[in-house]
Every structure is written in C-alpha cells, then in structure tokens.
Amino acid sequence: MALPPLNDTITAIATAPGTGAIGVIRLSGPDSFAIATQLFKPKNKQVLRPGKVYYGAICDNEGIIDEAIVLSFKAPHSYTAQDVIELQTHGGPAVLRRVLELSQSHGARLAKPGEFTLRAFVNGRIDLVQAESVLEMVNAQSESARRNAAHGLSKSLSEQLHLIQTDITRVYGNLQAVFDYPEEGVPESEYQTPLNRALTRIDQLLSTAKAGQIAQKGARLALVGKPNAGKSSLLNALLGYQRSIVSNIPGTTRDYLEAPLTLKGIPITAIDTAGIRETEDLIEASGVTAAKDIAAHADLSLYLLDASQEPTPEDFEVIASLEPSRSLLVLSKADLPQVWTQSFNRPLYKVSATKGEGLEELKTAISEKLIGDASSSELWLSSERHAQALKQTRDLIEQALSAPDDLASLDLEEALRALAEITGRGDIAEETLEHIFANFCVGK
Ligand SMILES: Nc1nc2c(ncn2[C@@H]2O[C@H](COP(=O)(O)OP(=O)(O)OP(=O)(O)O)[C@@H](O)[C@H]2O)c(=O)[nH]1
Ligand SMILES: [Mg+2]
C-alpha cells in the first residue's frame, strides 16, 4: 500500500458518528473553495474569502439541505497547510451523509484515516511527534494522557530531541574536521561532554516511558490476598460504590472482576480476585489460579494482610513471589487491633475499608509506584516507537564513546538517523507513516 496522493481535494465528516448539536464536514486541497462555492449559498451572496466565517445554506438541485456556518482557510494558513473549508451543519447523521455525498459529487475524494494530519505533516506544518500527539489527544481518556498529548503538540518533545540532535551533530562535525586536519584532534570537552549530555537527556526521557505508556493505555491493578482479607471491600472503597459482593464467608469472590477507576489522574482497571488458598472446590481452585496469574501480569498488585489474623506461611510464599517494584503490601481492617508483629521488610499501608481510613495514602502510594519519578517530569514519552528509537540512539552513542574516530563517526551518523525517525524529518519509511496514520479516525 502506498501513501495516498497529496494534491487532490479530500473530504470527510470530522465529528463523531451519531447525533450531535453540530456536525463538521471538512475539505482540504486545491478545489476546496470551488467545491464549497457550488454547494454553499452564503446569506448575502458573498464570495468566499479566506479567513472568514459565513452563514448560509447548503443546497443541491432540489433545494436546501441544511443551514450552515462555513469557515475558510487559505494555504498555508490551515491545519493541512492547504486550502481548507469546514462546513458546520446540524449534527444529524442524514445531514452529514448528504453533505458528504454532495462534496464528493462536486469532485472531492473521500479521505482516508488521518489523511488531513498526514497532509499537515508532509507539508511541514507539524512534525511526526506532533502528528502522533494529535492522535493521542483525540484518544485521551484521562487527564494525564491529555496533558501529555498537549506537551507533544506544543513541540516540547521535539525541542528536547533537537537539543540531543544538536550535541550529536556537533561531535559529528568535529570528527569530520579531524579527518581533514588529523594533527588537531578533538579535545575531550568537544567530544565526551556533548555526548554525555545527550545521554543524560535521553535517559531522562526514557525514565518516563513507563509512566507515559500507563497514562495512555492505563494500568492494571490487582487486589490479592487470602480469603476474607478484605479485597472486595477495598475495591468497593476505592471505587466509591458497591461493585463486588462482600461477606464474612471466606471464598465469597470466586471469579475475578474488573472495574475502571481514575486515580490521581491515572486510568486504572482494578481487578478483584478470589482469595488465595488450597481448595478442593474445582471452581474456586480455577479462581485461585486466575488470581495468581492476574497478580503476575498486573502493572501493580496490592497484597492484603488482615490486621486481625496472623499471617500464614502461604502469605509469606505469595509475597515472596511478588516483585517489590510491582507490588504494595496493605494492612487491611486497620480499624481492628493488629494481632501480629511480623515484619516483611517492606512498608505496610494501613487501610480500613469500612472506615475509609488510609485510602488517600494508599492512592498516593499506588500512583507513585506506577508513575514513579516521572511525576516530577513535565513530559513523558508515551510512544513505544519513540522509546525504541531513543534506545537505539543511546546504544549508538555509547558505542561511539568507546570507538576509534572513524567508527565513532559512523555510529553518530546512524544515531542521528535513528533520532530523525522520531520527528520524521529524516528518511522515514513509508510503512512507518502508513502504520501511524492508519490508527487515526477518518476526518482527522
Ligand atoms: N472491621 C473491618 N472489617 C472489614 C474491613 N474490610 C472488610 N471487612 C470484613 O471482612 C470480611 C471479608 O471482606 P471481603 O471484602 O468480602 O473480603 P475478600 O478478601 O473479598 O474475601 P473473599 O472474596 O472471600 O476472598 C467481611 O465481613 C467484611 O465486612 C475493614 O476495613 N474493617
Ligand atoms: Mg471478595
């Protein structure tokens, strides 16, 4: 599959399917104004000029289709850097479909997913990081994802990449000069310093990759522990409503259940699981197997220890199987006297689900565990593609630092290429572009 042509005029419905107060149909390309003139009649018979807003009606041969507001943008001052027309009609599916058909009958081609943004990229109005941030913004379900997309759109990631690129380019230039004047050599300060600075910047960005992924995709949070530990009660307390059945009979929850919640701006799927114990009951046993599996794969597991019950060897065994970086120990039923004193050499977060105590501290601990140091960083790396390219750049710089000049020069050349793939300002493979833009919706 090749990239679509860039110089014809495309059209699409830009608003979400379904009914809405307003719907928007977009046109981009050289015939946008001509097509708009054929289907739109401004109230005072004005001629469409760039940068203006018009009120009037959209008509076909048989008469008025709907009232409309029209926004006009002349190249290069538009989203795509081409001539663009936006037709705002009432947001009914029949109206929008009819206007779309009319645009096509006057010569516009139906746009492919992301084609407007692709044109903005190819025409140099935005770089690839910004294009991907558009997609991230459209898909943002949480405050942290929105915030991160806004940073990408405002070019702060592109600026960071530019600083890294400048340092590598400087060293690369110095090495080239040495080939011409070998007796001069490259001083330490003109070689090690900029490359190490680039490495520090890359590491800083890479340290936010996990947080960025979580902001975008959400995190899976498992609640695990023995029967009656208070898992379902804690889930309900975190959610603020009764989602899971609670009872004093051990083994109440036999299957797992998932519930969405937002915690400190992070989208989370909380998973209540069956209490872990040896059991003859086949159904319960399969719930226990699922619980262990969920804990092993979750981004974070909360292991609950009942304050009113002595921990058993089984508790110690499960806790030992949990990675400390991906688990928290919770002392549940903290309103009851704690009957034990054993230490697990890890912090214990005291929570009472029935009294609602300790929940804020637990939420803070969850968010810190998931987002970590990245919470102090403004910008997070949220794309796997960017992280891969940065890791590659990092490896090549490391390689250059320990290589002789001629090989170092080749490494840095390749590092610059890997970096340019992120912003798309180098030789970017068509497949990469197709892959990125295929994830967009039509009309964006
Ligand atoms: N005092 C007190 N009792 C609690 C608290 N949390 C839960 N309980 C009680 O402990 C019992 C078990 O609670 P659940 O939430 O059903 O425990 P669970 O871990 O989901 O149990 P299973 O589903 O059987 O694995 C119930 O009687 C709850 O009322 C708490 O914070 N304080
Ligand atoms: Mg339960």
Side-chain angles (χ1 to χ4, degrees):
M1 197 183 88
L3 289 178
L6 297 158
N7 281 322
D8 56 351
T9 301
I10 50 172
T11 186
I13 301 170
T15 37
T19 26
I22 293 170
V24 175
I25 299 106
R26 268 180 162 171
L27 287 157
S28 175
D31 297 332
S32 298
F33 277 69
I35 294 172
T37 305
Q38 296 201 55
L39 56 81
F40 175 70
K41 306 294 163 223
K43 189 155 180 268
N44 298 320
K45 301 197 168 53
Q46 300 127 300
V47 174
L48 293 184
R49 291 189 199 291
K52 297 258 188 261
V53 180
Y54 299 89
Y55 167 72
I58 294 182
C59 307
D60 63 7
N61 293 336
E62 286 158 27
I64 291 180
I65 292 173
D66 191 12
E67 293 179 312
I69 300 279
V70 166
L71 280 64
S72 58
F73 308 84
K74 198 79 185 160
H77 306 291
S78 74
Y79 182 65
T80 58
Q82 298 182 318
D83 286 356
V84 166
I85 294 284
E86 287 193 7
L87 306 159
Q88 294 187 3
T89 61
H90 291 104
V95 187
L96 291 167
R97 251 194 325 266
R98 185 75 195 97
V99 179
L100 185 70
E101 280 166 13
L102 204 56
S103 306
Q104 288 174 272
S105 71
H106 287 300
R109 167 171 68 78
L110 193 62
K112 292 188 160 56
E115 209 175 340
F116 292 88
T117 310
L118 173 68
R119 288 185 174 197
F121 165 68
V122 174
N123 292 329
R125 213 188 65 72
I126 56 174
D127 66 24
L128 207 48
V129 171
Q130 288 174 292
E132 287 170 293
S133 302
V134 169
L135 178 65
E136 217 178 310
M137 185 64 96
V138 171
N139 291 333
Q141 302 286 336
S142 70
E143 180 54 18
S144 49
R146 181 211 56 75
R147 195 194 60 149
N148 215 35
H151 279 304
L153 275 177
S154 70
K155 288 199 93 161
S156 37
L157 176 57
S158 308
E159 278 160 15
Q160 280 292 319
L161 296 172
H162 183 69
L163 291 174
I164 296 166
Q165 185 198 24
T166 307
D167 273 334
I168 306 175
T169 311
R170 187 161 130 203
V171 176
Y172 180 71
N174 286 335
L175 284 175
Q176 297 303 308
V178 171
F179 294 144
D180 296 336
Y181 306 98
E183 63 286 356
E184 304 260 317
V186 182
E188 233 4 47
S189 62
E190 289 301 310
Y191 191 88
Q192 304 270 358
T193 313
L195 289 187
N196 282 319
R197 192 166 45 213
L199 283 182
T200 309
R201 287 205 165 102
I202 291 175
D203 285 344
Q204 208 284 323
L205 283 173
L206 285 174
S207 73
T208 66
K210 185 181 159 222
Q213 287 281 313
I214 284 178
Q216 218 188 353
K217 294 194 183 140
R220 290 176 69 76
L221 176 74
L223 282 76
V224 274
K226 284 206 306 271
N228 254 4
K231 302 175 293 296
S232 302
S233 303
L234 181 57
L235 174 85
N236 294 339
L238 288 172
L239 293 174
Y241 61 89
Q242 298 297 309
R243 172 69 182 82
S244 189
I245 299 172
V246 168
S247 89
N248 59 3
I249 305 164
T252 303
T253 311
R254 298 214 293 179
D255 203 349
Y256 68 92
L257 71 86
E258 301 189 353
L261 88 139
T262 304
L263 205 147
K264 310 261 173 206
I266 309 167
I268 283 179
T269 302
I271 315 157
D272 184 17
T273 62
I276 296 175
R277 67 171 167 187
E278 288 293 332
T279 169
E280 298 289 308
D281 183 321
L282 284 180
I283 299 170
E284 191 184 349
S286 105
V288 171
T289 308
K292 289 181 177 167
D293 192 55
I294 288 164
H297 293 101
D299 294 295
L300 185 64
S301 296
L302 304 182
Y303 192 84
L304 276 69
L305 290 153
D306 185 336
S308 66
Q309 301 288 326
E310 284 280 337
T312 59
E314 210 167 16
D315 283 314
F316 281 90
E317 196 184 307
V318 181
I319 290 170
S321 75
L322 297 172
E323 261 180 58
S325 65
R326 290 202 290 124
S327 58
L328 289 172
L329 300 189
V330 175
L331 184 79
S332 58
K333 310 189 193 179
D335 53 295
L336 301 177
Q338 188 178 348
V339 301
W340 50 275
T341 52
Q342 284 97 325
S343 161
F344 290 86
N345 292 323
R346 293 179 51 184
L348 259 183
Y349 293 89
K350 294 187 180 182
V351 168
S352 166
T354 45
K355 295 238 157 84
E357 286 163 9
L359 288 174
E360 275 313 306
E361 290 81 354
L362 179 64
K363 287 179 189 173
T364 306
I366 293 171
S367 119
E368 270 172 16
K369 207 70 175 180
L370 287 173
I371 306 274
D373 295 342
S375 57
S376 60
S377 171
E378 278 282 286
L379 178 72
W380 296 346
L381 211 61
S382 55
S383 151
E384 185 56 33
R385 191 182 78 83
H386 299 172
Q388 285 302 335
L390 272 179
K391 277 184 199 143
Q392 203 189 343
T393 310
R394 189 187 199 296
D395 290 348
L396 288 160
I397 296 177
E398 290 266 20
Q399 212 165 292
L401 275 166
S402 57
D405 286 358
D406 50 345
L407 292 180
S409 170
L410 289 176
D411 288 335
L412 294 182
E413 210 173 300
E414 223 181 299
L416 285 168
R417 215 172 291 134
L419 206 57
E421 275 222 358
I422 303 180
T423 53
R425 290 289 170 245
D427 294 333
I428 182 117
E430 267 198 15
E431 300 90 79
T432 311
L433 286 183
E434 279 165 17
H435 182 75
I436 292 170
F437 287 96
N439 290 318
F440 276 65
C441 39
V442 175
K444 189 68 239 178

